[in-house]
Amino acid sequence: MQDAETVLNVIRERGERGLPLENIYRLLYNRNLYLRAYGRIYSNQGATTRGTTADTVDGMSLAKIDRIIDALRCERFRWTPVRRVNIPKSNGKTRPLGIPTWTDKLLQEVIRMILEAYYEPQFSDCSHGFRPNRGCHTALGDVVNTWKGTRWFVEGDIKGCFDNIDHDVLLSVLGEKLHDNRFLRLLKHLLKAGYVEDWKYGRSLSGTPQGGIVSPILANVYLDRLDKYVENMLIPAHTRGTERRDNRPYKQLMDRAAYHRRAGNRELARQLRKQMQQLPSSDPYDPGYRRLRYVRYADDFVLGFIGSKAEAEQIKESLETFLRDSLKLELSREKTLITHAASQAAQFLGYELVNQQANDRFDQRGRRSVNGQIGLRVPAKVIDQHCQAYMKNGEPIHRNTLIHDEDYSIVDRYQAEFRGVVEYYRLAINVSHFGRLKWVMSRSLTKTLAAKHKTTCRKIARRYKGTVQTEHGERVCLKVVKEQGNGKRPKVTQFGGIPLKRNRKAVLVDRQPQRYRTDRNELIKRLLADECEICGSTVDVEVHHIRALRDLDVKGQREKSQWVQIMAARKRKTLVVCRMCHLNIHHGRIKPQSQT
């Protein structure tokens, strides 16, 4: 049996060479792939969440992997319908989310690893969603660094993209490179597995499994057709010329300024140079110069065009036709906007895109350094929305839900919420506008602590006032120190200390690239040891999982169970046990029964 590293590297090599992939179904018999998949997803928050059955990560064992492989070998594996729940959106609507069973999650992760290893080298560089070492910031960075001089933004919006992916088209796209009918049939059954909502079964007529591990890679394979169409058809058709021609009025003023400077009329030459600075040096309407650029994150995409609005309208029509005829998707006419870059702002990934103009900003060479550069801005409504979460009737309020938590947890939670917002918008040129949010959250935090201790906000501010060193100097903050005892170093957390300054190099990626290593993680080694960590039995060994370490602390419990003591000492959310010890854990027995 080959190592997972070897298998995935061979698949990746075939993807880099553009060769078709065959005999994929037989790869699903490899136990090492399942162990690798288990090591990647067991710590996910949804691993202990039930689907339509009681099957979760708790009780994972080598025998369960063997049962999956045996069912696949005999071609009697059946996908279980997902449990559908509706997640509220910011606009008041809901988004359906499917929760698969653990067995389906494990097999989906194996399939995802195979598909990613093969397709990742073939994906377009313009695609940034759900890919290793890429994310929203890399997509935005591409826009900022390479879209200088853009005149028009074409904002793309596909109506219900993931819900309307056509199964036949998707299987046809996969079948072009994956030459294995059994594997394609397995994927087809996954797409058609259906869902259960309010105890009623529903058929899956289109779309990828919402909440499924394999859904993002399938969506990228599907939308890669759009990427290739834009790169191979639209961009070559709307790109011409090497550089813009000179702007005649600018050239005339430059020649007059040079003449008067040679003649000794320096004051007149200086006035002419000021007039030059109000004009573009090259012709912005040059018909011989065109550029089209494109970037996509999941189902959100935007194009930057240098040319006329009529040509931008043609590009929009071409995209609409291709999506309708080739991918059977619909481009929203209401949300797909054509925005003038210099006078309006386009929306992309929560940012505003603008073409900056500043004739009074110069670089070291005396050239206007800002004109034409793409700037990222925080929309004003984003700051308002985040402030409203901590306000009532226009004033910051305390949060009743946190009053019974300890001070350390309250401050740490506020800091995490503030950091999460600010770090995402660190690329914005107006990130300092989050100072308003900081003030609102600081007032809400002090009011929450004051309500907890039945005192005033001023006393709370004095009690927890502190300073923290940052890359931009010392900052004032609210600091809480939590003593741990037993000679341990105290925990320290603070609210504040996050500089509200633009960071051009800020990069947040969806996930780190998959590393093909020969060594397994600690949990896999413990599982392969096949020995109960409580009683030492080697019969029916499986893994006990908990959601979080804080679940080990049960209020009012005087005597802690042996398994609780072991997990707390190791600071691990997993414990390899035999079947009998696992039953004892779930039945609440303090001491496991002696067994052989």
Side-chain angles (χ1 to χ4, degrees):
M1 184 182 300
Q2 289 182 317
D3 292 336
E5 174 190 7
T6 304
V7 173
L8 295 175
N9 280 332
V10 169
I11 295 173
R12 189 177 189 87
E13 182 182 356
R14 293 190 69 86
E16 292 173 348
R17 298 169 60 187
L19 300 176
L21 197 60
E22 301 174 348
N23 296 325
I24 314 169
Y25 195 83
R26 294 180 61 85
L27 299 177
L28 303 179
Y29 305 158
N30 193 324
R31 179 196 274 187
N32 290 327
L33 287 175
Y34 292 88
L35 291 173
R36 185 185 187 88
Y38 174 49
R40 289 178 59 87
I41 66 175
Y42 80 90
S43 59
N44 294 350
Q45 291 184 354
T48 55
T49 303
R50 294 186 178 186
T52 53
T53 68
D55 183 24
T56 66
V57 67
D58 187 42
M60 180 61 187
S61 63
L62 296 176
K64 182 173 290 189
I65 295 177
D66 294 336
R67 286 195 295 269
I68 297 174
I69 295 175
D70 184 63
L72 289 169
R73 196 186 303 272
C74 300
E75 297 192 32
R76 51 182 172 81
F77 182 86
R78 295 295 180 268
W79 299 99
T80 306
V82 300
R83 179 169 66 90
R84 174 173 287 187
V85 295
N86 292 307
I87 307 299
K89 298 169 64 175
S90 58
N91 57 6
K93 299 181 180 180
T94 59
R95 175 184 289 110
L97 177 67
I99 304 176
T101 62
W102 168 252
T103 298
D104 288 1
K105 289 178 183 178
L106 187 63
L107 181 54
Q108 283 191 43
E109 174 63 17
V110 174
I111 294 175
R112 188 205 62 79
M113 291 192 303
I114 294 174
L115 293 179
E116 183 182 275
Y118 180 71
Y119 280 106
E120 181 62 30
Q122 305 178 51
F123 283 150
S124 168
D125 289 337
C126 299
S127 171
H128 293 262
F130 311 125
R131 297 183 60 187
N133 221 18
R134 289 173 177 254
C136 295
H137 281 188
T138 59
L140 293 165
D142 192 11
V143 173
V144 171
N145 296 329
T146 62
W147 287 30
K148 183 177 180 179
T150 296
R151 288 181 54 82
W152 300 97
F153 291 117
V154 181
E155 306 172 49
D157 184 89
I158 302 173
K159 285 187 178 180
C161 177
F162 297 109
D163 295 332
N164 295 320
I165 288 179
D166 188 270
H167 291 170
D168 293 334
V169 175
L170 175 58
L171 292 172
S172 174
V173 173
L174 291 169
E176 293 178 0
K177 297 292 185 66
L178 308 181
H179 297 172
D180 190 329
N181 290 332
R182 290 197 297 171
F183 185 75
L184 294 175
R185 186 164 60 248
L186 183 66
L187 289 179
K188 180 180 179 180
H189 292 163
L190 171 62
L191 297 173
K192 302 291 186 181
Y195 62 91
V196 174
E197 184 176 9
D198 295 331
W199 301 101
K200 294 181 180 179
Y201 174 77
R203 298 174 59 191
S204 301
L205 302 178
S206 63
T208 55
Q210 288 291 317
I213 294 176
V214 78
S215 297
I217 186 67
L218 292 179
N220 271 339
V221 172
Y222 196 83
L223 293 177
D224 187 62
R225 284 284 186 91
L226 173 63
D227 301 339
K228 294 298 192 294
Y229 171 74
V230 174
E231 287 185 326
N232 300 330
M233 301 296 293
L234 289 184
I235 291 181
H238 295 86
T239 300
R240 59 179 179 269
T242 56
E243 59 182 13
R244 289 190 179 98
R245 65 188 181 188
D246 293 335
N247 188 15
R248 182 170 295 181
Y250 181 90
K251 187 69 165 58
Q252 291 173 349
L253 288 173
M254 184 175 65
D255 293 341
R256 289 175 58 191
Y259 170 77
H260 287 291
R261 188 170 58 253
R262 289 193 299 268
N265 301 327
R266 296 184 177 276
E267 181 61 27
L268 181 56
R270 185 161 50 250
Q271 294 297 328
L272 290 173
R273 284 198 299 271
K274 289 184 178 180
Q275 296 180 31
M276 289 168 51
Q277 293 170 4
Q278 305 303 315
L279 299 175
S281 59
S282 55
D283 186 1
Y285 304 103
D286 183 3
Y289 184 84
R290 293 290 183 268
R291 288 293 184 275
L292 179 64
R293 301 180 179 93
Y294 165 79
V295 68
R296 177 178 67 83
Y297 182 91
D299 59 335
D300 294 331
F301 64 90
V302 63
L303 296 97
F305 181 59
I306 300 177
S308 65
K309 185 176 181 180
E311 291 173 286
E313 293 281 0
Q314 294 178 3
I315 294 171
K316 176 183 174 181
E317 294 296 331
S318 299
L319 286 170
E320 184 177 10
T321 301
F322 174 80
L323 288 171
R324 182 182 63 249
D325 297 343
S326 299
L327 298 181
K328 297 185 179 181
L329 295 174
E330 184 178 358
L331 194 65
S332 174
R333 284 186 170 269
E334 298 78 15
K335 297 182 180 180
T336 302
L337 307 176
I338 297 178
T339 307
H340 188 256
S343 60
Q344 297 173 298
Q347 303 290 329
F348 184 58
L349 299 179
Y351 279 82
E352 289 182 346
L353 310 181
V354 292
N355 184 330
Q356 302 178 90
Q357 299 292 325
N359 292 321
D360 57 346
R361 297 285 298 276
F362 303 95
D363 59 12
Q364 296 177 348
R365 298 171 298 178
R367 297 182 179 181
R368 288 170 286 183
S369 58
V370 175
N371 286 2
Q373 297 284 353
I374 301 300
L376 303 177
R377 295 192 314 210
V378 183
K381 64 179 182 180
V382 170
I383 300 177
D384 291 338
Q385 288 173 356
H386 283 93
C387 288
Q388 290 303 317
Y390 305 92
M391 300 175 69
K392 185 177 182 180
N393 297 328
E395 292 291 334
I397 61 171
H398 68 279
R399 297 167 71 177
N400 281 325
T401 56
L402 302 180
I403 286 180
H404 298 291
D405 294 350
E406 57 183 7
D407 294 359
Y408 179 91
S409 300
I410 296 174
V411 175
D412 193 58
R413 179 162 181 172
Y414 271 83
Q415 178 74 345
E417 293 172 355
F418 182 66
R419 181 191 295 113
V421 176
V422 173
E423 290 297 334
Y424 181 75
Y425 286 101
R426 287 292 295 274
L427 293 174
I429 57 179
N430 62 338
V431 68
S432 60
H433 290 190
F434 277 113
R436 176 169 173 251
L437 175 62
K438 181 180 178 180
W439 179 84
V440 170
M441 292 185 66
S442 177
R443 290 289 296 167
S444 175
L445 172 58
T446 54
K447 286 186 176 183
T448 302
L449 293 173
K452 172 181 171 63
H453 295 287
K454 295 180 175 58
T455 183
T456 64
C457 295
R458 180 174 296 182
K459 291 182 179 179
I460 290 294
R462 290 176 179 174
R463 181 189 302 180
Y464 293 124
K465 182 179 179 181
T467 58
V468 59
Q469 288 291 335
T470 69
E471 57 185 339
H472 300 286
E474 192 175 73
R475 294 289 187 272
V476 178
C477 64
L478 289 176
K479 181 179 293 186
V480 176
V481 179
K482 179 182 178 181
E483 299 293 341
Q484 297 194 85
N486 298 328
K488 294 183 179 179
R489 183 178 301 177
K491 290 184 176 181
V492 180
T493 188
Q494 74 271 341
F495 177 79
I498 302 177
L500 298 180
K501 293 189 177 183
R502 182 187 181 191
N503 183 5
R504 299 173 183 267
K505 299 181 180 180
V507 176
L508 297 177
V509 298
D510 290 345
R511 57 189 177 84
Q512 295 298 325
Q514 186 172 354
R515 295 176 176 85
Y516 301 153
R517 294 167 46 184
T518 55
D519 58 326
R520 298 185 175 94
N521 63 25
E522 178 194 9
L523 176 60
I524 303 303
K525 292 179 179 179
R526 290 159 54 200
L527 178 60
L528 291 175
D530 202 29
E531 182 178 349
C532 177
E533 295 176 344
I534 294 179
C535 67
S537 173
T538 58
V539 180
D540 296 334
V541 174
E542 51 195 30
V543 184
H544 173 62
H545 286 261
I546 60 174
R547 289 181 180 270
L549 287 175
R550 62 176 175 269
D551 296 339
L552 298 176
D553 295 329
V554 180
K555 293 184 178 180
Q557 186 181 64
R558 296 182 178 179
E559 182 181 1
K560 291 187 177 181
S561 304
Q562 183 181 359
W563 66 274
V564 173
Q565 298 175 12
I566 295 175
M567 297 181 75
R570 294 180 175 179
K571 295 182 180 180
R572 293 290 184 269
K573 296 187 293 184
T574 58
L575 187 66
V576 178
V577 294
C578 64
R579 180 63 180 168
M580 183 61 67
C581 289
H582 203 184
L583 291 174
N584 290 333
I585 290 174
H586 283 286
H587 291 164
R589 299 190 180 99
I590 300 298
K591 296 182 179 179
Q593 298 177 356
S594 60
Q595 52 195 292
T596 58

